[in-house]
Amino acid sequence: LFGLIAGMIIGILIVLQLTFTDNKIRTVRKIKSLFVEIDFLGEITRKNTVVDTRHTAAALVHKSRSNKVDRVALVPLDSDTAVAQLVGMIASDAEKARLTITEGAQVDLMSITDLVADEPQSIVLVATKHRSTNENLHHAFEVLTRAGHSVLGVILASSSV
């Protein structure tokens, strides 16, 4: 009986430790609670890809209009995040509103010319659910803003999108 209780307590402690030390972005709530300086623009899931894409495109168009920009680059937070397909999905809706969406490189793979371009870019960071980390988001935001770029917000995408 004592062994069973001790085993359960140790199991619970392990689960709690894993929960508190997990720094992966798994939910919209985590982004909103940890990063108040970054606007959340939308989540694209496997279930409602078309609808989620349209809603995210609408938020992106609104954000770009309020910042008076007509071109936005989607920048992945990590190497696991593929934005080419996401650009294709969002671009068709965005183009109807005269907004051009392009694919940007991951921050750590950007050249010095990309980072300190003559004209700063408007950027939306793309996080992959269950893969991107809090540190990746903070790092990308800090590097891009220090280089003079405007980070309009973040999109959370399922890994299969």
Side-chain angles (χ1 to χ4, degrees):
L1 182 63
F2 176 74
L4 179 66
I5 293 172
M8 287 177 59
I9 290 173
I10 290 171
I12 290 171
L13 290 174
I14 289 172
V15 168
L16 286 174
Q17 186 214 3
L18 291 174
T19 301
F20 287 117
T21 59
D22 181 20
N23 65 357
K24 292 207 175 8
I25 297 171
R26 299 186 189 281
T27 63
V28 173
R29 187 175 58 206
K30 189 162 194 174
I31 292 174
K32 288 180 177 181
S33 67
L34 293 175
F35 306 103
V36 292
E37 70 271 15
I38 303 175
D39 288 336
F40 176 74
L41 299 175
E43 179 178 10
I44 300 177
T45 62
R46 284 179 280 214
K47 292 179 186 172
N48 285 328
T49 306
V50 174
V51 173
D52 291 343
T53 302
R54 190 176 321 121
H55 293 171
T56 301
L60 193 52
V61 167
H62 172 73
K63 188 70 175 177
S64 64
R65 283 181 179 166
S66 36
N67 283 280
K68 296 178 174 56
V69 295
D70 60 359
R71 184 177 186 86
V72 175
L74 298 185
V75 172
L77 287 183
D78 47 57
S79 57
D80 290 336
T81 305
V83 295
Q85 184 179 0
L86 196 57
V87 167
M89 291 166 34
I90 294 176
S92 60
D93 285 331
E95 284 172 0
K96 294 172 189 167
R98 296 186 196 99
L99 175 65
T100 303
I101 307 291
T102 61
E103 180 181 356
Q106 181 188 353
V107 171
D108 290 339
L109 300 177
M110 286 183 177
S111 68
I112 188 70
T113 8
D114 293 335
L115 287 170
V116 291
D118 292 337
E119 281 194 38
Q121 286 188 304
S122 294
I123 292 173
V124 171
L125 299 171
V126 180
T128 301
K129 201 173 199 176
H130 304 294
R131 291 194 181 159
S132 300
T133 65
N134 304 338
E135 287 82 13
N136 292 12
L137 184 53
H138 266 298
H139 172 69
F141 179 79
E142 290 297 322
V143 168
L144 291 168
T145 54
R146 276 187 271 147
H149 299 286
S150 173
V151 178
L152 301 180
V154 64
I155 294 172
L156 182 61
S158 292
S159 57
S160 64
V161 173

